[in-house]
Amino acid sequence: MPALPEDRKPLSDEAHSAFTPPAGVEPPEPPEEDHPTSEFSLPPGAAPEAPPEQEGSAFATPSTYSFRHSPPAFTPSHGIPAVRLTKDAPWQDRMRAMLRMPVGERPVPDTVQKADEAGPAVPRVLDLTLRIGELLLAGGEGAEDVEAAMFAISRSYGLDRCEPTVTFTLLSITYQPSLVDDPVTANRTVRRRGTDYTRLAAVYRLVHDISTPDTEVSLEEAYRRLAEMRRNRHPYPGWALTVAGGLLAGSASVLVGGDVLVFLAAAISAMLGDRLAWLCAGRGLPEFYQFVAAAMPPAAMGVALILSPLDVRASAVITGGLFALIPGRALVAGVQDGLTGFYITAAARLLEVVYLIVGIVIGVLLVLYLGIALGAALTPETALKAVERPEIQLLAAMGLSLCFAVLLQQERDTVWLVTLNGGIGWVVYGALANTSDVPPVAATAVAAGLVGLFGQMLSRYRFASALPYVTAAIGPLLPGSATYFGLLAIARGDLNAGLASLSKASALALAIAIGVNLGGEMSRLFLRVPGGAIRSGEPRRAAKRTRGF
C-alpha cells in the first residue's frame, strides 16, 4: 500500500484542539474583545468631521442653519492649531492679533517681567493696566489700540485670561484665575481728556519696554515712570500755543488765496479767539461754549474787513480761523473706532464732534447775522475764484502742519516729520484735484490715505503711536472753505445751498477719516515685519465681530 503524503496523514489526538472547528465548518467571528480599537477612531457609519471653517467674508452664508451640520461643541480630535507670536513684531500687531482670537485659542502668555514667588500681584497689575489705558484714551488714542496696550501689560506680568473693555469714558478689565475661581474686575473712569502727544509717546515707550523681554521693568519702576509722565510739564508754554494757533490760521488763509494782509488779520483774530476760549475755560464753562467764543473773533474780523474800504478776501480770514477749530483729531478717532467694531465709543466720539461743530456754527452765524444787519456785502461768489499759487500754497500747507503739531504738544524731533507728511498730502491733493480734475472728495480720500500710510510706517519704525504723524498732517485737507460757505449761505437765507455746502464739508471730513484708517490698514496688510505677527502660513484674522445679522 503506497504511503500517504504528509498533508493527507491523519492527525493524532494530541494534534486536535478542543477549540478547532471540524473540517467544512466556517470559523466563527472572533469576539470584539480580541480586536481592540482606538477610542478616537470613528465608529462604523459615522461621517468624518468637517474641517474648521476658514476666516472669510462677513457676507458669506453661514453653515449652521441645520442642527445636522452644526459645529462641534468640544475640542475636535485633530486639535486646534497652535499660534506662535514672534517677538520681532511690534507689540501693537501681536496684541491686536490676539485680541481678535477666541479666548480658547489664545496661546499661553510668556511672562516677560519677573514676578514674585507668590505669583503676580493681581490688584497692582490691574491698576497699572487701567492707569496706562487711561492716559492713552485721554490722549485721543483709538479704542482698539488702548485695548491692545492693556492686554500687553497684563500678559507681560503673567496674567492670563484677561479681557479689557474700552468705551468712551470707561475702562474695565476682568481677570479670571481659573475656571473655579471668582473673576477679579477693576474699572476706571476717564473724566478729563487733553491733547499731549509727548506724554502719549512716553506711554508707548513704557508699554514697549514692559512687553519686551530684553528690558526688565518692575511694577515699582512702571509706577515711577507713570508718575513722571503726569508731573512733566508740556513741551510748549501757553504763549507758544497761542502764537501757533495764530500762525495756523494765517497759513490756512494763504492756502485758500489770502495775501499778507489776510494772513495778519487771520492770525490776530485766531489768537484773540484762543485767549477768549482760555478765559471761558478758566471760568469753568463747558467746551461747547469755548468753541462758540473761539469762532466769533475770526468771523468778526472778516465782517470788519468787508465793511472797511480795503480790498481784501475777507472770506479767507474766516476760513483760516475755522481751520484751527475743526475737530479733525476727534473725527478721525471716531471713524476709526467705528471701522474696527467699537460702535459705542465711535458713536460717542462722533456725537462729541457734532456738538463742537454746532458750537462753531453758532459762533460764526451770530457774527454773520450781525454783519448782514450792518449792511456787509457777504457774497460767496467773489470768494470762489481759484488762485493758482502752488509753491506758496505748499509752503502754507507745511506751515499749517507744523503749527498743528505744536498745538498737539508733539515731541520736537517728530515735528519736521509730520510737516513733511503734510506737504506730501497737499501735493497729492493738488495734483489730483487741480491738475487731473478729480472730484474733491476722492482727491481728499487718496491724499489722506497716503498720509495715513506714511504715518503708520513711521510709527512702526519707531514703535510709537501713529497719531503724532497723522493728525497734524491732515490739517491742510480739513474742509474749512466748505464749512464757511455753507454757514454764509444759511445766514443769507439760502438754506438749500447752505445744507449742500455743509454736506460737502461732511463728505470731505469722512473722506479724510476713512482715508487715514485705510492707509493704516494697508500698511499692516502689506508691510511685513521680520517673521510676521503670526506664525508663517496663518491667515491674517479679520476684525469682524458678527456676520451682519
Side-chain angles (χ1 to χ4, degrees):
M1 184 175 180
L4 295 175
E6 290 296 330
D7 57 350
R8 299 287 303 277
K9 290 183 179 180
L11 300 176
S12 62
D13 293 339
E14 288 80 4
H16 289 280
S17 171
F19 301 99
T20 302
V25 178
E26 293 292 336
E29 291 287 340
E32 187 178 357
E33 290 79 4
D34 292 348
H35 297 274
T37 59
S38 171
E39 59 181 294
F40 299 103
S41 62
L42 293 174
E49 182 181 357
E53 181 185 0
Q54 297 295 326
E55 192 78 21
S57 171
F59 299 99
T61 304
S63 58
T64 56
Y65 282 120
S66 175
F67 71 93
R68 299 179 184 274
H69 305 287
S70 59
F74 303 100
T75 304
S77 58
H78 54 76
I80 297 175
V83 178
R84 298 180 179 88
L85 299 176
T86 178
K87 299 299 187 295
D88 298 330
W91 62 264
Q92 298 99 314
D93 290 349
R94 290 186 281 120
M95 296 302 110
R96 188 181 291 108
M98 295 190 61
L99 283 172
R100 294 177 180 180
M101 297 179 190
V103 179
E105 298 183 15
R106 293 174 184 171
V108 178
D110 298 327
T111 304
V112 176
Q113 304 299 330
K114 294 181 180 180
D116 299 334
E117 296 181 356
V122 175
R124 298 194 66 194
V125 172
L126 296 183
D127 180 71
L128 175 67
T129 302
L130 291 174
R131 290 178 182 272
I132 290 177
E134 178 189 11
L135 288 180
L136 293 177
L137 188 61
E141 193 60 82
E144 187 176 32
D145 293 326
V146 176
E147 283 195 0
M150 296 172 64
F151 200 68
I153 298 298
S154 60
R155 288 180 65 88
S156 298
Y157 286 107
L159 297 187
D160 192 9
R161 293 181 296 274
C162 279
E163 284 296 330
T165 304
V166 175
T167 58
F168 184 54
T169 57
L170 181 64
L171 297 162
S172 177
I173 186 168
T174 300
Y175 167 65
Q176 188 171 12
S178 66
L179 295 178
V180 296
D181 293 330
D182 295 332
V184 180
T185 302
N187 53 57
R188 196 174 183 88
T189 302
V190 179
R191 302 192 182 278
R192 294 187 61 185
R193 295 188 303 275
T195 303
D196 189 344
Y197 282 175
T198 299
R199 180 178 297 173
L200 186 69
V203 175
Y204 262 75
R205 283 193 293 268
L206 175 59
V207 178
H208 174 69
D209 293 341
I210 292 176
S211 58
T212 302
D214 301 333
T215 308
E216 182 178 350
V217 181
S218 63
L219 285 173
E220 288 74 14
E221 176 68 15
Y223 271 107
R224 184 188 65 79
R225 291 176 61 174
L226 274 180
E228 289 180 356
M229 294 176 198
R230 293 182 178 276
R231 286 196 302 265
N232 284 348
R233 299 178 60 87
H234 298 304
Y236 307 102
W239 64 267
L241 299 181
T242 301
V243 173
L247 295 179
L248 188 154
S251 300
S253 65
V254 174
L255 198 64
V256 295
D259 53 11
V260 177
L261 182 59
V262 170
F263 176 88
L264 294 176
I268 294 174
S269 62
M271 287 189 287
L272 290 176
D274 179 78
R275 289 293 91 189
L276 189 58
W278 276 105
L279 181 63
C280 295
R283 297 296 184 269
L285 290 178
E287 196 172 16
F288 174 83
Y289 300 104
Q290 298 175 28
F291 270 74
V292 173
M296 295 176 71
M301 182 68 73
V303 171
L305 289 176
I306 292 175
L307 294 174
S308 69
L310 299 176
D311 185 15
V312 294
R313 294 172 61 96
S315 61
V317 176
I318 304 176
T319 301
L322 293 181
F323 265 87
L325 297 177
I326 296 176
R329 173 183 58 87
L331 176 66
V332 171
V335 174
Q336 178 182 356
D337 288 340
L339 294 177
T340 52
F342 294 84
Y343 302 116
I344 297 177
T345 306
R349 288 186 189 272
L350 293 178
L351 184 61
E352 179 190 30
V353 171
V354 170
Y355 271 104
L356 298 182
I357 291 179
V358 169
I360 298 173
V361 168
I362 292 176
V364 174
L365 283 180
L366 288 176
V367 178
L368 292 183
Y369 281 129
L370 180 61
I372 293 176
L374 294 176
L378 298 172
T379 56
E381 291 80 6
T382 59
L384 290 174
K385 294 183 298 183
V387 180
E388 296 294 338
R389 300 180 301 175
E391 296 83 3
I392 297 178
Q393 288 178 327
L394 176 59
L395 293 177
M398 297 180 67
L400 192 153
S401 298
L402 188 149
C403 297
F404 213 155
V406 174
L407 288 176
L408 294 174
Q409 301 281 0
Q410 291 191 198
E411 294 178 307
R412 290 181 172 86
D413 59 343
T414 64
V415 171
W416 68 274
L417 291 173
V418 72
T419 301
L420 182 61
N421 198 13
I424 293 174
W426 178 257
V427 168
V428 173
Y429 171 79
L432 293 176
N434 300 331
T435 305
S436 303
D437 294 330
V438 177
V441 175
T444 301
V446 174
L450 287 178
V451 168
L453 177 62
F454 292 145
Q456 193 65 232
M457 291 171 59
L458 291 172
S459 68
R460 290 165 70 90
Y461 174 74
R462 308 187 104 186
F463 292 91
S465 172
L467 287 180
Y469 304 101
V470 171
T471 305
I474 64 174
L477 304 175
L478 293 175
S481 298
T483 304
Y484 165 67
F485 293 142
L487 298 180
L488 179 56
I490 293 176
R492 297 176 62 198
D494 193 352
L495 187 60
N496 293 331
L499 293 180
S501 184
L502 290 179
S503 299
K504 179 183 177 181
S506 302
L508 291 172
L510 290 178
I512 293 173
I514 295 175
V516 168
N517 181 265
L518 183 60
E521 291 296 329
M522 294 293 287
S523 69
R524 297 190 189 102
L525 185 62
F526 294 109
L527 300 180
R528 299 290 184 180
V529 292
I534 307 179
R535 184 184 60 181
S536 179
E538 290 288 337
R540 182 178 182 266
R541 291 185 177 266
K544 66 181 183 180
R545 266 67 176 176
T546 66
R547 291 185 180 269
F549 51 82

